[in-house]
Structure formats: structure tokens, C-alpha cells
Amino acid sequence: MNSGKLLGRFICRPMIVLFASFFAIDVSSAADTSTEKRITKLFLTSGQVDLAREVVKLPLHRGRLSSGETVWFVLTDVSDLATSKKMGLTWAPSLSRAKHLASTRVAEMDESNNFTFKSGRVDFSPTQTLEPGKTPNFFPPRKAQPGSIGDAHYSPLVRVANRNDIVFNAPMIAFNVGPEKISFCDGNPDYSVVTDSVANICPDKGTVDLKLRSGFADGKHLRYLSFDANSEESATLEASTFAPAESDILKSGATEVIYTIVNGKTGQNDRERQGLNSALNGEGPSLDILEKFKEISLGYSPMWDVQPAEWTKEAIEKNQRELITDGDDVTAKSKTGLLVSPGGGPVRTTGILVNCPVVGFTNE
């Protein structure tokens, strides 16, 4: 299989900005002289961010399937503005475009906001396994086994039929287990029963600490979460759930674009390192780049269309590779031919989808 097809299985537009001041808490100062990492603008206001531990604490919800099994999940985004204000969730109006998709699960909510889901199961028992390729091309990986796998009906998106078809982003954290089986308040969770991005989980307190991911948007450092992907390799690399059913979201328009560099510079101490080769070599995150994100806008969605980009052989030979932090820069380099799609030609969609709600910008 060629690298373009493998990339098609791999990973994880601005409109008028509306109500941005409500949804983003700007905690930056006029002159930042601190060297401590901190959030400068928080978008996921229901979360408590700890950059020292690189986690965010979210409320843990307990629901059930209509057939009786327990569903543990979190809520991050919602399509309805009033609901986002009431529940402290990120407003993602474009999610409403996915409400009638086959992969969008149906649920009902009672007066206490308890969810009953019609379908969707996740098997958390597999062991996450990732074996990089041979040096110097660590991508594609020789083996990629995600640690959790959704069934044919599972997607993180949920349409609540008795609440005017509001769509929530409600990724599953654990399934069909009691609270005593997933109580890891002090860490060291059992990843055969919870998703691999969990750092701590405490059902008695109704909280879960989830590991943050690092990338860029608008030239700034960005933290986000990664919950689901429609490719096994992506789900493995990002410690998320393989959810093949969610692929139809790509056709709904309920997505944003994120670029992932395949063959950027490597070297753990190289300040310009970036990309899948670097990540698979154990040097740190791939440092992907959101195309247009600046604020929560009418076009915002946590569902990201991942578009891989490769530096050409000529660009590498001429030492033109550099750290990219802005989506416009990817677009410009694609137009000039410095960056190409793995299959050749301009950088474009290859059918990769990830569920990655934004958390906030940092001062790094």
C-alpha cells in the first residue's frame, strides 16, 4: 500500500465571529513577562486546565443505553447557543449539520439532563500498540492497534430527540462498568476499562482528568483534546477511540481543517521539529496546525478534517523545512509546491477525521 493510502487511514473557515467574548475567556495581560506556561485564552470553559500535568479536568457524566448498559461520557460541545450557556459547553453551531447523519446517535434527556442513548458501544479492552517504521522514515508505523474500538453505531455526536434535535459532542470514556471498576482518583487507570487519554478518573467526585494534545492555530500554541478518529493509526497515535462509523461526518460540512506535517524536521531538542516522523520517533507530539481557527465562530466544529502535508525532496535538500504554526502558511507553501499531499499535488483532504475539541491558547 502506498504512503498516500496509508495516510488516508492516519490521524488525528472562519465566518463572522459571534459571541466570541462570551465563549473565550481572555486571561492574557498587556505585557506577559512570566516564563510559566499558562492559558491565555480558554475556550472549553467547563474544564480546569493544569499545564504542569498537561491535563484538563472535566465533569464525568453517567448515562445509559436504552438496553440498560452504563455509559460514562463527557460533554464538550453543543450546537445550541442557549444550551452552551446553560451547561458551560463550547458552542459549535456547525454540529447541527450532522444531526441527520447515520453515524449521529440518538438520545433523550430527562429534566435532570440524564442521557439515555439508543445505540453505540465501545470496547475498551484492546491494548494500545504502536510500532514505528524503520529509521529514518518512522511513518508509516509497522503496527498500530488502538486501545478502544467503537461498534458500527458509535460516534461521539449525539442528537437529542426530545430537545429540538440539539447535537452534543459526547465522547465515551467507559462502558458497561460500575464506578468501582473505573475509580482511579490518584492516577494509574486501567486502560482495559477506560479510554487511553484518561490520566485520573473519580466517579465519586464526578470528574475525569484527560491528557491534553499540543498544536498550533493562528501562529499560537494551542491545547486540545483527542477523543475519536475514523482511522486505526490516528486513534492509536492520539490515544483515542477508533470510530469508523463517524466517517460520514466529513460529507456534512460540520468540520474544520487541520494540517499534519508528515516529514518535518526531527530531533527532540530541535526547536523546529514537527510532524509524524518526529512523533513516531518518540520526540513529542506531531504539532498539527488548525487551518483558520482564531475564535469560536459560526463555522467552528470539534470534528477536524485532517489534511496531511509532505515537504518535497527539493525542499528538504535546500533546507527549506521549518516549523509551521499558521494554516495560511501551509496554504501558501502548498501553492508554491514546497508542501504536497502524500499522493502528489496540492495539500487536500484524504478522508481522515478526528474529534478534537479546542481547549485554549497558551503563552508559549
Side-chain angles (χ1 to χ4, degrees):
M1 184 177 290
N2 64 38
S3 62
K5 288 183 179 179
L6 277 166
L7 273 166
R9 296 166 54 210
F10 203 92
I11 302 286
C12 133
R13 280 135 295 252
M15 298 176 68
I16 298 172
V17 175
L18 184 61
F19 303 109
S21 61
F22 175 81
F23 294 100
I25 299 177
D26 192 344
V27 293
S28 61
S29 59
D32 181 14
T33 59
S34 172
T35 58
E36 183 180 355
K37 285 191 302 184
R38 63 184 181 82
I39 292 288
T40 55
K41 183 166 286 188
L42 180 66
F43 298 102
L44 186 59
T45 57
S46 60
Q48 301 174 34
V49 179
D50 183 346
L51 289 181
R53 296 176 56 225
E54 288 290 343
V55 299
V56 60
K57 187 184 299 293
L58 289 177
L60 178 66
H61 298 270
R62 180 175 183 171
R64 64 181 181 89
L65 283 185
S66 55
S67 52
E69 296 95 329
T70 299
V71 178
W72 300 95
F73 63 101
V74 294
L75 296 172
T76 57
D77 314 86
V78 65
S79 62
D80 179 66
L81 176 60
T83 304
S84 72
K85 291 180 179 180
K86 183 177 180 180
M87 299 182 69
L89 305 176
T90 303
W91 181 48
S94 65
L95 290 183
S96 63
R97 301 172 189 166
K99 63 183 178 182
H100 295 307
L101 295 178
S103 68
T104 300
R105 294 178 292 154
V106 178
E108 293 190 351
M109 290 172 62
D110 63 20
E111 294 181 355
S112 299
N113 292 334
N114 295 312
F115 281 66
T116 300
F117 302 92
K118 298 294 184 182
S119 62
R121 293 170 168 83
V122 175
D123 179 6
F124 292 97
S125 66
T127 300
Q128 180 187 3
T129 306
L130 183 64
E131 295 180 10
K134 294 182 179 180
T135 182
N137 298 315
F138 302 103
F139 179 84
R142 285 179 289 183
K143 183 177 182 181
Q145 166 65 57
S148 50
I149 301 173
D151 69 5
H153 305 287
Y154 174 73
S155 158
L157 299 189
V158 177
R159 172 173 63 87
V160 181
N162 64 333
R163 296 285 181 92
N164 298 317
D165 289 336
I166 292 170
V167 177
F168 286 87
N169 188 11
M172 198 182 298
I173 303 300
F175 178 70
N176 199 28
V177 289
E180 72 284 353
K181 295 290 187 180
I182 59 169
S183 183
F184 301 97
C185 300
D186 297 323
N188 298 312
D190 180 354
Y191 290 121
S192 70
V193 292
V194 299
T195 189
D196 292 329
S197 62
V198 169
N200 304 71
I201 183 167
C202 199
D204 289 346
K205 295 181 179 179
T207 62
V208 58
D209 288 8
L210 297 163
K211 300 172 187 176
L212 291 168
R213 303 288 300 177
S214 298
F216 295 103
D218 194 32
K220 297 186 284 289
H221 285 266
L222 182 75
R223 293 296 192 277
Y224 58 92
L225 293 167
S226 186
F227 288 110
D228 312 271
N230 69 339
S231 107
E232 291 178 283
E233 289 86 356
S234 171
T236 305
L237 185 64
E238 302 228 337
S240 65
T241 295
F242 175 42
E246 71 182 22
S247 293
D248 63 353
I249 297 170
L250 282 166
K251 301 176 182 179
S252 69
T255 60
E256 292 211 43
V257 171
I258 189 169
Y259 301 112
T260 186
I261 306 298
V262 177
N263 57 346
K265 289 185 177 181
T266 58
Q268 192 161 8
N269 297 320
D270 191 323
R271 294 176 64 87
E272 294 197 331
R273 72 147 203 97
Q274 186 174 41
L276 299 178
N277 272 340
S278 176
L280 283 165
N281 194 32
E283 297 172 353
S286 55
L287 300 173
D288 300 341
I289 312 108
L290 265 175
E291 181 190 33
K292 294 291 185 182
F293 181 80
K294 299 178 187 292
E295 297 278 2
I296 301 301
S297 71
L298 289 173
Y300 171 70
S301 172
M303 310 305 295
W304 296 352
D305 173 3
V306 182
Q307 300 191 9
E310 281 187 349
W311 291 99
T312 62
K313 182 179 179 181
E314 182 181 7
I316 295 172
E317 290 174 346
K318 292 183 177 180
N319 197 29
Q320 292 175 303
R321 288 186 297 178
E322 60 184 359
L323 178 68
I324 299 178
T325 64
D326 189 284
D328 289 341
D329 199 11
V330 176
T331 301
K333 285 178 168 57
S334 177
K335 288 181 179 179
T336 59
L338 288 175
L339 287 172
V340 296
S341 177
V347 177
R348 62 186 182 275
T349 186
T350 55
I352 310 165
L353 183 76
V354 293
N355 174 20
C356 294
V358 297
V359 174
F361 286 127
T362 73
N363 64 336
E364 296 161 273

